[in-house]
Amino acid sequence: MGKTIELSRVRQGEHFTLDGVEWVKLDETHMGAFVVAADALPDNCPFENDDDREDANNFCGSHIAKEMERWLRDQHKPIFDATLERPIDLTTMDGMTDYGTPLAVARLLTIDDYRKYRRFIPLASRPFWLATGWTTKSSPVSNDYLAYRVSTGGTVYYDGVCSAYFAPRPALYLKSSILVSIETEEEQKSIRDYTDTELMDELYRRRRASYDPD
């Protein structure tokens, strides 16, 4: 069975549904509820499809960021309307801060998000991208064509940003006041689920209650 509650009342690690998409609540912050899709999106795409872009592993302005925003706007307007624009920390794996902390609506998990909330994040049916790059042009290694991704088994590795073998997995900040649907543990029983003794006891209880004065 399902019931509708405010997102603020959904517990950390609990699954809920919004506009037909299943999500997992990772945290409740002053910035809103931080959530991640329970699975990666069905269509793989490259992190970046512009070979000439100098900061190809910069999530801000990337192909995958545009694809996720398009997915929200075109297919899930109720989710898009409930999404909050919040900063995303794009520090690369080697600590370079060239990409800063820009505002984002549709976003991926960063590698720090993934490590922090790993115990709440279910494995995905497809490998998926993270928003974290390996390094930047200003690093001594000088490679901005690698970004991190997660395998179906949950392990993290980097890959070329033009690879189309990995899927987006949206991570959003949502308004805590919105209504969402959750599954409850209560199950309605049919009459066949009760024993004869239980049915007789219930009938006897109801008959006694009908004769008791108010």
Side-chain angles (χ1 to χ4, degrees):
M1 293 179 61
K3 67 177 181 179
T4 301
I5 63 173
E6 280 195 1
L7 180 54
S8 60
R9 295 177 54 203
V10 176
R11 295 169 300 196
Q12 189 178 37
E14 191 171 12
H15 291 228
F16 66 92
T17 302
L18 178 61
D19 194 37
V21 181
E22 185 179 354
W23 302 87
V24 182
K25 184 173 181 178
L26 300 180
D27 215 341
E28 181 75 33
T29 75
H30 69 283
M31 296 189 294
F34 187 41
V35 308
V36 68
D39 200 357
L41 299 187
D43 296 325
N44 294 345
C45 73
F47 190 99
E48 181 53 67
N49 60 0
D50 183 357
D51 294 339
D52 296 326
R53 185 179 174 185
E54 292 187 357
D55 58 344
N57 63 355
N58 184 353
F59 175 74
C60 184
S62 66
H63 172 74
I64 196 169
K66 295 172 184 175
E67 284 296 300
M68 286 197 300
E69 187 158 342
R70 188 177 298 114
W71 174 77
L72 283 175
R73 285 182 184 275
D74 296 348
Q75 300 183 42
H76 296 285
K77 189 66 163 52
I79 301 176
F80 179 79
D81 291 342
T83 304
L84 300 168
E85 188 178 50
R86 293 293 182 260
I88 180 171
D89 186 350
L90 297 180
T91 302
T92 55
M93 183 59 83
D94 63 343
M96 302 302 290
T97 58
D98 303 32
Y99 301 154
T101 53
L103 295 175
V105 176
R107 57 203 289 148
L108 301 173
L109 293 169
T110 66
I111 200 161
D112 289 334
D113 293 332
Y114 184 71
R115 289 186 295 187
K116 180 177 180 179
Y117 300 111
R118 177 65 187 89
R119 64 191 184 280
F120 301 123
I121 300 172
L123 296 177
S125 60
R126 288 167 297 285
F128 59 92
W129 288 107
L130 297 176
T132 303
W134 181 46
T135 187
T136 69
K137 282 285 189 183
S138 61
S139 170
V141 180
S142 299
N143 189 321
D144 63 346
Y145 288 98
L146 297 174
Y148 280 81
R149 47 85 170 176
V150 180
S151 72
T152 54
T155 56
V156 178
Y157 201 65
Y158 57 76
D159 221 292
V161 293
C162 293
S163 171
Y165 297 115
F166 314 111
R169 188 176 189 177
L172 310 174
Y173 277 95
L174 297 176
K175 299 173 183 176
S176 298
S177 59
I178 63 171
L179 297 178
V180 300
S181 177
I182 64 168
E183 292 297 316
T184 63
E185 296 179 356
E186 299 174 359
E187 295 181 0
Q188 288 187 335
K189 291 184 177 181
S190 72
I191 194 170
R192 290 187 293 271
D193 295 322
Y194 294 91
T195 66
D196 290 342
T197 300
E198 289 172 330
L199 290 172
M200 292 298 294
D201 287 345
E202 179 62 12
L203 179 61
Y204 181 72
R205 184 191 67 77
R206 294 188 183 190
R207 291 190 63 184
R208 284 193 60 185
S210 67
Y211 289 112
D212 286 343
D214 292 336

